[in-house]
Amino acid sequence: MDRPDYIASDVHLGAVPRETETEFLAFLEHVGAHARSLLIVGDLFDFWFEYGPVVPGKHFRVLAALRELVDAGIPVTLMGGNHDAWGGRFLREEVGVAFHADPIEMELGGRLALVAHGDGVGRGDLKYRALKAVIRSRPAILGFRLLHPELGMRLAGAVSTTEHKVENDDRARSRAEFIAEWARERLRQDPRLSFVVCGHAHLPALEEVEPGRYYINSGDWIRNDSYVTVRPGEAPEMHRWVRQPARS
């Protein structure tokens, strides 16, 4: 049987408990044993920025695990999210992942997929869309790079709202619906597409919009520990990672 393509998103490493990182590392080991490829649909990190050769060292274990997948012949595609869109040479050349800051078309399970993190799409996130244009601009990136890395990382941590999403996010369902509406419209407008894949909503979704054509959102690793697999000729499947009991 052909190996499936795996999809995950919104792990937010750096803002989640260390146990989440440990479980995600176990998931990556599972991917290495069972997957044809891995797609991470943004916000793998709660903050990522490359200051030339300087990168956040606390993510070393996950970066090394991703490199092991690549070295084993399992392609890894990493979509930049609203927290980690500033990837670059280090991720591409040292880790070996295919990093994309903007939506892409790619093949999943032998079928065409449109992949986007989901921030700023559809009718929602109006204020963020304006902010996104600013923070991704060349002047903003150059200005941030002038900050000392420790100051930049401290600033990013201060403005992050990820920890609040662990308990409650009243806007999650409306944000999820804006993204789903956008995905449905993309599928209706482009008959080539079999899948539209997004993250950002933090709510798992697997919707057959038309026969054999799906909107996929793999959810997150803050509350759901969810991921999706896609096999050639089969419907996508949603899964939840079963965490192992903590050792005493």
Side-chain angles (χ1 to χ4, degrees), residues 164-169 172 175 201-203 220-226 240 243:
H164 301 294
K165 291 183 173 69
V166 175
E167 299 299 331
N168 183 39
D169 183 358
R175 181 172 63 237
H202 289 253
L203 293 173
D220 69 2
W221 282 65
I222 295 177
R223 290 171 293 193
N224 297 290
D225 297 343
S226 49
R240 293 181 187 268
R243 296 200 177 201

mmCIF file of all heavy atoms in Angstrom, residues 164-169 172 175 201-203 220-226 240 243:
data_model
loop_
_atom_site.group_PDB
_atom_site.id
_atom_site.type_symbol
_atom_site.label_atom_id
_atom_site.label_comp_id
_atom_site.label_asym_id
_atom_site.label_seq_id
_atom_site.Cartn_x
_atom_site.Cartn_y
_atom_site.Cartn_z
ATOM 1 N N HIS A 164 -3.148 32.350 25.509
ATOM 2 C CA HIS A 164 -4.560 32.546 25.807
ATOM 3 C C HIS A 164 -5.439 31.576 25.020
ATOM 4 O O HIS A 164 -6.545 31.251 25.443
ATOM 5 C CB HIS A 164 -4.971 33.985 25.491
ATOM 6 C CG HIS A 164 -4.193 35.004 26.271
ATOM 7 N ND1 HIS A 164 -4.284 35.117 27.644
ATOM 8 C CD2 HIS A 164 -3.292 35.941 25.878
ATOM 9 C CE1 HIS A 164 -3.488 36.094 28.066
ATOM 10 N NE2 HIS A 164 -2.873 36.600 27.009
ATOM 11 N N LYS A 165 -4.947 31.111 23.855
ATOM 12 C CA LYS A 165 -5.730 30.186 23.051
ATOM 13 C C LYS A 165 -5.823 28.813 23.702
ATOM 14 O O LYS A 165 -6.700 28.014 23.346
ATOM 15 C CB LYS A 165 -5.112 30.049 21.654
ATOM 16 C CG LYS A 165 -5.231 31.300 20.798
ATOM 17 C CD LYS A 165 -4.670 31.053 19.413
ATOM 18 C CE LYS A 165 -4.909 32.219 18.467
ATOM 19 N NZ LYS A 165 -4.140 33.391 18.806
ATOM 20 N N VAL A 166 -4.930 28.526 24.650
ATOM 21 C CA VAL A 166 -4.972 27.227 25.324
ATOM 22 C C VAL A 166 -6.278 27.074 26.083
ATOM 23 O O VAL A 166 -6.895 26.010 26.095
ATOM 24 C CB VAL A 166 -3.773 27.073 26.282
ATOM 25 C CG1 VAL A 166 -3.878 25.787 27.071
ATOM 26 C CG2 VAL A 166 -2.473 27.127 25.495
ATOM 27 N N GLU A 167 -6.749 28.143 26.686
ATOM 28 C CA GLU A 167 -7.958 28.083 27.486
ATOM 29 C C GLU A 167 -9.198 28.521 26.710
ATOM 30 O O GLU A 167 -10.254 27.922 26.823
ATOM 31 C CB GLU A 167 -7.789 28.976 28.740
ATOM 32 C CG GLU A 167 -6.653 28.541 29.650
ATOM 33 C CD GLU A 167 -6.846 27.142 30.190
ATOM 34 O OE1 GLU A 167 -8.012 26.717 30.336
ATOM 35 O OE2 GLU A 167 -5.842 26.461 30.441
ATOM 36 N N ASN A 168 -9.072 29.594 25.897
ATOM 37 C CA ASN A 168 -10.265 30.131 25.272
ATOM 38 C C ASN A 168 -9.886 31.029 24.110
ATOM 39 O O ASN A 168 -8.912 31.757 24.163
ATOM 40 C CB ASN A 168 -11.082 30.933 26.308
ATOM 41 C CG ASN A 168 -12.377 31.446 25.737
ATOM 42 O OD1 ASN A 168 -13.038 30.755 24.980
ATOM 43 N ND2 ASN A 168 -12.746 32.650 26.104
ATOM 44 N N ASP A 169 -10.647 30.966 23.055
ATOM 45 C CA ASP A 169 -10.473 31.876 21.936
ATOM 46 C C ASP A 169 -11.851 32.091 21.336
ATOM 47 O O ASP A 169 -12.313 31.311 20.510
ATOM 48 C CB ASP A 169 -9.504 31.309 20.901
ATOM 49 C CG ASP A 169 -9.246 32.285 19.756
ATOM 50 O OD1 ASP A 169 -9.859 33.369 19.775
ATOM 51 O OD2 ASP A 169 -8.461 31.962 18.862
ATOM 52 N N ALA A 172 -12.305 32.023 17.550
ATOM 53 C CA ALA A 172 -11.840 30.866 16.783
ATOM 54 C C ALA A 172 -12.881 30.386 15.785
ATOM 55 O O ALA A 172 -12.560 30.120 14.621
ATOM 56 C CB ALA A 172 -11.446 29.731 17.728
ATOM 57 N N ARG A 175 -13.377 32.852 12.872
ATOM 58 C CA ARG A 175 -12.188 32.793 12.020
ATOM 59 C C ARG A 175 -12.192 31.514 11.196
ATOM 60 O O ARG A 175 -11.883 31.521 9.991
ATOM 61 C CB ARG A 175 -10.933 32.866 12.878
ATOM 62 C CG ARG A 175 -9.632 32.846 12.082
ATOM 63 C CD ARG A 175 -8.434 33.125 12.974
ATOM 64 N NE ARG A 175 -8.266 32.117 13.990
ATOM 65 C CZ ARG A 175 -8.242 32.368 15.303
ATOM 66 N NH1 ARG A 175 -8.383 33.604 15.740
ATOM 67 N NH2 ARG A 175 -8.063 31.388 16.171
ATOM 68 N N ALA A 201 -6.945 28.233 11.890
ATOM 69 C CA ALA A 201 -8.224 28.236 12.593
ATOM 70 C C ALA A 201 -8.135 27.590 13.968
ATOM 71 O O ALA A 201 -8.949 27.865 14.842
ATOM 72 C CB ALA A 201 -9.285 27.512 11.765
ATOM 73 N N HIS A 202 -7.173 26.686 14.158
ATOM 74 C CA HIS A 202 -7.017 25.934 15.410
ATOM 75 C C HIS A 202 -8.196 25.005 15.676
ATOM 76 O O HIS A 202 -8.377 24.529 16.799
ATOM 77 C CB HIS A 202 -6.815 26.876 16.609
ATOM 78 C CG HIS A 202 -5.484 27.558 16.608
ATOM 79 N ND1 HIS A 202 -4.465 27.232 17.472
ATOM 80 C CD2 HIS A 202 -4.991 28.563 15.835
ATOM 81 C CE1 HIS A 202 -3.410 27.997 17.227
ATOM 82 N NE2 HIS A 202 -3.715 28.813 16.243
ATOM 83 N N LEU A 203 -9.013 24.752 14.649
ATOM 84 C CA LEU A 203 -10.134 23.830 14.769
ATOM 85 C C LEU A 203 -10.047 22.812 13.633
ATOM 86 O O LEU A 203 -10.072 23.192 12.457
ATOM 87 C CB LEU A 203 -11.469 24.580 14.680
ATOM 88 C CG LEU A 203 -11.784 25.523 15.836
ATOM 89 C CD1 LEU A 203 -13.046 26.319 15.531
ATOM 90 C CD2 LEU A 203 -11.952 24.744 17.144
ATOM 91 N N ASP A 220 -4.767 21.890 15.390
ATOM 92 C CA ASP A 220 -3.578 22.411 16.068
ATOM 93 C C ASP A 220 -3.045 21.394 17.067
ATOM 94 O O ASP A 220 -3.595 20.318 17.255
ATOM 95 C CB ASP A 220 -3.883 23.740 16.766
ATOM 96 C CG ASP A 220 -4.815 23.611 17.968
ATOM 97 O OD1 ASP A 220 -5.228 22.483 18.318
ATOM 98 O OD2 ASP A 220 -5.144 24.639 18.579
ATOM 99 N N TRP A 221 -1.925 21.779 17.704
ATOM 100 C CA TRP A 221 -1.332 20.970 18.767
ATOM 101 C C TRP A 221 -1.365 21.727 20.092
ATOM 102 O O TRP A 221 -0.602 21.441 21.013
ATOM 103 C CB TRP A 221 0.095 20.564 18.398
ATOM 104 C CG TRP A 221 0.113 19.434 17.408
ATOM 105 C CD1 TRP A 221 -0.352 19.454 16.118
ATOM 106 C CD2 TRP A 221 0.584 18.101 17.638
ATOM 107 N NE1 TRP A 221 -0.193 18.224 15.534
ATOM 108 C CE2 TRP A 221 0.389 17.376 16.436
ATOM 109 C CE3 TRP A 221 1.178 17.465 18.722
ATOM 110 C CZ2 TRP A 221 0.751 16.042 16.305
ATOM 111 C CZ3 TRP A 221 1.544 16.134 18.588
ATOM 112 C CH2 TRP A 221 1.327 15.432 17.391
ATOM 113 N N ILE A 222 -2.275 22.684 20.180
ATOM 114 C CA ILE A 222 -2.498 23.390 21.444
ATOM 115 C C ILE A 222 -3.601 22.697 22.228
ATOM 116 O O ILE A 222 -3.473 22.411 23.414
ATOM 117 C CB ILE A 222 -2.862 24.867 21.188
ATOM 118 C CG1 ILE A 222 -1.680 25.588 20.545
ATOM 119 C CG2 ILE A 222 -3.252 25.559 22.489
ATOM 120 C CD1 ILE A 222 -1.969 27.028 20.179
ATOM 121 N N ARG A 223 -4.704 22.390 21.537
ATOM 122 C CA ARG A 223 -5.832 21.734 22.187
ATOM 123 C C ARG A 223 -6.174 20.380 21.584
ATOM 124 O O ARG A 223 -6.807 19.555 22.242
ATOM 125 C CB ARG A 223 -7.073 22.643 22.115
ATOM 126 C CG ARG A 223 -6.994 23.869 22.980
ATOM 127 C CD ARG A 223 -8.138 24.823 22.714
ATOM 128 N NE ARG A 223 -8.060 25.420 21.380
ATOM 129 C CZ ARG A 223 -8.794 26.464 20.991
ATOM 130 N NH1 ARG A 223 -9.651 27.004 21.827
ATOM 131 N NH2 ARG A 223 -8.665 26.960 19.779
ATOM 132 N N ASN A 224 -5.801 20.152 20.315
ATOM 133 C CA ASN A 224 -6.342 19.001 19.600
ATOM 134 C C ASN A 224 -5.347 17.891 19.261
ATOM 135 O O ASN A 224 -5.763 16.755 19.031
ATOM 136 C CB ASN A 224 -6.999 19.491 18.303
ATOM 137 C CG ASN A 224 -8.176 20.402 18.569
ATOM 138 O OD1 ASN A 224 -9.213 19.955 19.048
ATOM 139 N ND2 ASN A 224 -8.022 21.679 18.274
ATOM 140 N N ASP A 225 -4.058 18.211 19.156
ATOM 141 C CA ASP A 225 -3.053 17.209 18.759
ATOM 142 C C ASP A 225 -3.513 16.459 17.503
ATOM 143 O O ASP A 225 -3.428 15.230 17.416
ATOM 144 C CB ASP A 225 -2.804 16.208 19.880
ATOM 145 C CG ASP A 225 -2.232 16.856 21.136
ATOM 146 O OD1 ASP A 225 -1.730 17.986 21.038
ATOM 147 O OD2 ASP A 225 -2.311 16.233 22.206
ATOM 148 N N SER A 226 -3.993 17.203 16.514
ATOM 149 C CA SER A 226 -4.627 16.591 15.356
ATOM 150 C C SER A 226 -3.746 16.668 14.115
ATOM 151 O O SER A 226 -2.906 17.554 13.977
ATOM 152 C CB SER A 226 -5.973 17.254 15.085
ATOM 153 O OG SER A 226 -5.852 18.671 15.080
ATOM 154 N N ARG A 240 -6.057 11.988 15.693
ATOM 155 C CA ARG A 240 -5.582 12.684 16.895
ATOM 156 C C ARG A 240 -4.440 11.869 17.510
ATOM 157 O O ARG A 240 -4.574 10.665 17.722
ATOM 158 C CB ARG A 240 -6.708 12.891 17.914
ATOM 159 C CG ARG A 240 -7.771 13.860 17.423
ATOM 160 C CD ARG A 240 -8.866 14.078 18.451
ATOM 161 N NE ARG A 240 -9.952 14.875 17.899
ATOM 162 C CZ ARG A 240 -10.034 16.197 17.981
ATOM 163 N NH1 ARG A 240 -9.069 16.872 18.593
ATOM 164 N NH2 ARG A 240 -11.057 16.834 17.454
ATOM 165 N N ARG A 243 -1.335 11.027 23.295
ATOM 166 C CA ARG A 243 -0.192 11.345 24.140
ATOM 167 C C ARG A 243 0.102 10.215 25.122
ATOM 168 O O ARG A 243 -0.820 9.563 25.633
ATOM 169 C CB ARG A 243 -0.425 12.641 24.912
ATOM 170 C CG ARG A 243 -0.564 13.863 24.011
ATOM 171 C CD ARG A 243 -0.312 15.127 24.766
ATOM 172 N NE ARG A 243 -0.370 16.283 23.865
ATOM 173 C CZ ARG A 243 0.193 17.462 24.145
ATOM 174 N NH1 ARG A 243 0.849 17.618 25.288
ATOM 175 N NH2 ARG A 243 0.100 18.465 23.297
#
